[in-house]
Amino acid sequence: MGRVATSASDPVVLYVSGGNTQVIAYSDGRYRIFGETIDIAVGNCLDRFARVVGLSNDPSPGYNIELEARKHCQERPLKFVELPYVVKGMDVSFSGLLTFIEDLTKKKEFVKNGDETQGEEQFTTADLCYSLQETIFAMLVEITERTMAHCGQNSVLIVGGVGCNKRLQHMMADMVADRGGTLCAMDHRYCIDNGAMIAQAGMFGLQFGSESMLVKMEETQCTQRFRTDQVEVVWRPKTRGKHA
C-alpha cells in the first residue's frame, strides 16, 4: 500500500506502529528484516508513557505526546532531558528507556504543568514528551540509515501508525536528504489500522496465485506472531542475491 500511495519503487521501509518496529527491504521474494526492536514496539512505548503522564486517548496517546512536544519553539525552547539511547547493532530497545522516563515522573523535580517560574532543575510533561520523541526517533533514524547504506538504497518509506508523526518525518527527511535520497512519507489515512491494506494484500495474493492466501473463509485463522519475513511476496519479481 505504501509503494502504491507514494509511487516508491524499491525503498527501505521503516515500519513503526503499536505492535511492530522494523526496518525492512525487499529481497528475493520477501521483505527482509534488517533491524527491529528487541522488546516493545515504539508505538507501545509512546502509548504507555502517555498514560503515565495522564494524556488523553483522544484521538490517540501518541498524537497527544506529539502535541506536547510541539510546544518546543525558538522563543521558548523545551528542556531536553537526557534519556537512555539504546541501539544494539541494527536493533533498538525501548523497555529500559520507558522504565527510566517513568521513574523521572516520580521525582520531586517533575512538575506536570510548568510555568515561567519553574526552577532550573525542574522538568515538565512537555519536556519529557519532547525528550522522548527526540531520543527514540534518533534511534530509528540511525538504524534506517545503516540499512540504506547496507542495501545501497536512496529512498525511505515510513509506514505504520507512528509514521504519522511529523517530527519523525522531518528527522528522517533530513537524514535522507544528506544522503541525496528521497523520503516517501505515507498518507496518514493508510498509516493507521485500516482494512484497505489487508484487502490489497489479499487481492494481490488472489491475482498472483499465492497458495498461502487462497484459503476458504471458514478455514482462516489469526497468527499474532506472524513475522514480516514469513510472507511470500508473490506480487513482486524476485531479486535473488539483492541486499544479501
Side-chain angles (χ1 to χ4, degrees):
M1 179 62 77
R3 291 175 60 244
V4 171
T6 64
S7 299
S9 60
D10 189 25
V12 167
V13 182
L14 176 63
Y15 173 24
V16 278
S17 67
N20 294 281
T21 301
Q22 297 176 340
V23 183
I24 60 180
Y26 179 76
S27 178
D28 194 22
R30 296 180 189 271
Y31 280 101
R32 309 293 175 174
I33 300 171
F34 289 88
E36 61 186 323
T37 176
I38 60 175
D39 39 57
I40 62 174
V42 60
N44 184 252
C45 176
L46 291 168
D47 290 352
R48 286 166 63 176
F49 179 67
R51 285 194 291 270
V52 167
V53 292
L55 296 181
S56 171
N57 287 329
D58 184 23
S60 71
Y63 180 67
N64 288 316
I65 283 182
E66 181 179 1
L67 291 181
E68 287 291 316
R70 284 183 191 175
K71 294 177 181 178
H72 178 73
C73 61
Q74 190 171 10
E75 294 74 24
R76 191 180 178 188
L78 292 174
K79 182 179 295 182
F80 180 78
V81 180
E82 190 167 345
L83 303 173
Y85 185 96
V86 190
V87 174
K88 300 183 177 182
M90 295 291 287
D91 297 327
V92 291
S93 171
F94 300 115
S95 61
L97 187 159
L98 177 61
T99 299
F100 185 92
I101 197 170
E102 285 178 344
D103 288 343
L104 288 180
T105 65
K106 302 171 186 175
K107 293 184 177 294
K108 62 180 181 180
E109 292 84 1
F110 175 60
V111 181
K112 193 166 188 178
N113 298 303
D115 54 35
E116 298 284 356
T117 62
Q118 70 186 66
E120 190 173 315
E121 298 301 317
Q122 293 178 317
F123 47 86
T124 67
T125 296
D127 292 329
L128 293 182
C129 288
Y130 165 69
S131 304
L132 180 61
Q133 276 200 168
E134 294 298 300
T135 302
I136 62 178
F137 292 166
M139 292 161 58
L140 295 174
V141 169
E142 179 180 336
I143 64 171
T144 302
E145 183 173 20
R146 287 181 179 177
T147 303
M148 291 178 71
H150 177 78
C151 297
Q153 302 292 74
N154 67 354
S155 63
V156 172
L157 171 65
I158 305 177
V159 300
V162 181
C164 295
N165 189 290
K166 295 298 183 184
R167 180 56 182 157
L168 173 58
Q169 293 178 17
H170 290 161
M171 291 175 69
M172 191 68 71
D174 287 344
M175 179 276 287
V176 174
D178 285 345
R179 298 182 63 86
T182 306
L183 174 67
C184 308
M186 182 63 160
D187 188 315
H188 73 278
R189 295 173 298 174
Y190 303 120
C191 279
I192 59 177
D193 293 337
N194 64 88
M197 55 186 174
I198 300 171
Q200 187 195 43
M203 179 187 72
F204 281 161
L206 180 63
Q207 182 179 353
F208 290 90
S210 170
E211 293 184 6
S212 63
M213 293 186 181
L214 298 178
V215 181
K216 294 180 180 179
M217 182 61 71
E218 60 270 19
E219 297 176 358
T220 59
Q221 59 181 340
C222 294
T223 306
Q224 289 183 311
R225 296 190 179 277
F226 199 56
R227 286 176 57 81
T228 306
D229 53 1
Q230 290 180 267
V231 180
E232 185 179 5
V233 184
V234 296
W235 53 89
R236 294 189 62 177
K238 288 192 174 182
T239 52
R240 186 169 297 280
K242 189 177 182 183
H243 310 332

